[in-house]
Amino acid sequence: MNDAEPLARQNGEMRAATRRFRQPDEATPDVSILIVAYNSAQLIESCIDSIRSGAQRHSCEVLLVDNGDGLTEKLVAQAFPDVRIIPGKGNIGFAAGNNMLSRFARSEHLLLLNPDMVALPNSIDILLDAADHYPGAAAWGGVTVDPSGRPDTGNAIAMPSMTEFLSVAMGRSRIGSEAVKGLEEDARVDVLIGGFVMFTRAAWQELGGLDERYFLYCEEVDLFFRLRGRGYEAWRIAAARGQHTAAHGNTLSPSRLLYRAAGTMEFVRTHWSFSGRVLAAFLVWIAAVERFLAGKLIGGRHPHLRQLGDGYRYVALHPNYWISGYDPKSGLMAKLAREPLGQRSC
């Protein structure tokens, strides 16, 4: 062993010691933070580092499962000794990953935190304060912002509706166009962002957590739909802010939009009538075709339209992949297993 090795080990231990977050003095932490990672090595350090400043007044435990190539798990094990790493079972999806972590969590509050989310100072404390301030709720979520601190389009999440499908097919999302409005005050809402949201364990367990039929996208929408059906409230907390790198920075990835279409259709298939499902599928497809053609026809003069058209190409050209949602036999995952489209970058 050379003389540099003990020094390197010592420096590593010192760095790890400075990256610990507030642990409970008793057996039960104030909040259990659940992180489902997928090839997130470039983002995970910023995410976990942010927890220390996000939860300065409350104790927490952090649980992580790596659904990807294992590199994220290795990095976290070395850099963050306080994180409880739950052995992965392959790419089981966001819903199944969070459900698995919740079974190991000890707190009565479960905070879902995406690996591409950075909790801004005191944001986790603020969510826990909100749980006391709005005790009739089952969930409390934050507002996501871009690097400049402005609320981003990720806040434009809503229950699927025929009105929204029609507005998107007509060229502009009714919800998306109002994404930055009404975010300066706490508000009771239908849906909260799944990457930065805290639930009571009681409500989570009553509903069985996230529906594991959803591999990716719309799983939180489904859960909030079911929570509302049981009479639970959900509150968006204006002062709880998280900086989000949506889709690992690639919001118009063709695979991301393909999975999003499948998630939307899984919700529609589960909760809507047959005629509603048919019309919804048609409107989702028409909206994708419009964007794909716009990119092809005038994308040369408008770079954003070119990117938009390229992003929607799978949804527009392969409706048979997403129209059945995540049906085990005819849905997206089954189709990709039989005939991959060549994309795995969501």
Side-chain angles (χ1 to χ4, degrees):
M1 178 183 297
N2 61 51
D3 293 339
E5 289 182 354
L7 180 60
R9 186 182 305 112
Q10 182 180 8
N11 289 340
E13 291 171 354
M14 291 176 62
R15 285 196 300 272
T18 64
R19 304 177 85 169
R20 296 177 183 272
F21 33 81
R22 181 168 179 171
Q23 295 285 296
D25 296 326
E26 66 285 349
T28 305
D30 294 322
V31 61
S32 296
I33 300 174
L34 315 182
I35 302 176
V36 178
Y38 178 77
N39 297 348
S40 307
Q42 294 183 337
L43 302 164
I44 197 63
E45 291 188 81
S46 296
C47 173
I48 298 178
D49 268 334
S50 73
I51 293 171
R52 292 178 297 142
S53 63
Q56 299 181 39
R57 295 183 285 105
H58 294 88
S59 62
C60 63
E61 64 173 354
V62 180
L63 300 91
L64 177 140
V65 63
D66 188 350
N67 281 358
D69 56 18
L71 293 179
T72 306
E73 176 181 327
K74 292 179 182 178
L75 188 156
V76 171
Q78 294 173 358
F80 301 97
D82 291 339
V83 173
R84 295 175 60 196
I85 296 175
I86 306 304
K89 298 182 179 179
N91 191 9
I92 59 176
F94 181 81
N98 276 297
N99 286 348
M100 182 170 68
L101 291 177
S102 71
R103 291 192 284 270
F104 292 90
R106 295 178 292 156
S107 176
E108 293 305 309
H109 292 102
L110 307 175
L111 173 62
L112 277 56
L113 187 66
N114 272 8
D116 56 3
M117 188 77 69
V118 171
L120 297 186
N122 298 117
S123 57
I124 298 172
D125 290 323
I126 292 168
L127 286 182
L128 286 160
D129 292 341
D132 294 329
H133 192 68
Y134 305 107
W140 309 263
V143 173
T144 61
V145 299
D146 62 22
S148 67
R150 294 174 300 185
D152 60 25
T153 56
N155 297 289
I157 189 169
M159 287 289 175
S161 68
M162 201 61 72
T163 300
E164 175 64 6
F165 287 145
L166 281 167
S167 68
V168 174
M170 292 173 66
R172 187 176 185 183
S173 166
R174 181 181 64 87
I175 300 298
S177 64
E178 302 173 355
V180 298
K181 297 180 181 179
L183 299 177
E184 299 305 320
E185 295 182 357
D186 295 352
R188 183 178 174 180
V189 296
D190 290 334
V191 185
L192 292 164
I193 298 166
F196 187 40
V197 59
M198 185 176 73
F199 297 91
T200 64
R201 174 185 288 276
W204 178 275
Q205 291 182 334
E206 180 181 339
L207 274 295
L210 296 168
D211 188 333
E212 296 185 11
R213 289 178 298 177
Y214 296 82
F215 182 79
L216 193 63
Y217 294 110
C218 227
E219 58 277 279
E220 80 272 40
V221 176
D222 173 88
L223 178 56
F224 280 107
F225 181 86
R226 292 184 287 127
L227 284 170
R228 189 176 64 178
R230 298 289 181 94
Y232 285 111
E233 296 179 1
W235 280 82
R236 184 182 63 226
I237 308 304
R241 302 266 163 144
Q243 184 177 311
H244 188 207
T245 306
H248 291 194
N250 191 4
T251 58
L252 292 178
S253 160
S255 57
R256 175 180 185 262
L257 296 178
L258 181 64
Y259 280 96
R260 193 176 72 177
T264 299
M265 287 310 302
E266 185 63 35
F267 178 90
V268 169
R269 291 173 65 250
T270 302
H271 299 293
W272 287 20
S273 66
F274 177 77
S275 59
R277 296 197 299 266
V278 172
L279 182 55
F282 176 72
L283 291 173
V284 169
W285 178 68
I286 284 294
V289 169
E290 291 171 350
R291 286 153 178 78
F292 173 71
L293 291 178
K296 287 290 186 182
L297 297 175
I298 58 177
R301 298 191 302 273
H302 302 278
H304 175 69
L305 286 180
R306 184 172 64 250
Q307 295 174 359
L308 194 68
D310 185 62
Y312 275 97
R313 68 181 187 273
Y314 288 138
V315 182
L317 299 178
H318 302 280
N320 59 314
Y321 274 72
W322 53 264
I323 198 167
S324 297
Y326 288 116
D327 182 85
K329 295 182 179 180
S330 58
L332 178 59
M333 304 308 292
K335 292 280 189 179
L336 290 175
R338 291 194 294 266
E339 188 178 352
L341 286 173
Q343 87 297 332
R344 295 292 183 180
S345 60
C346 72

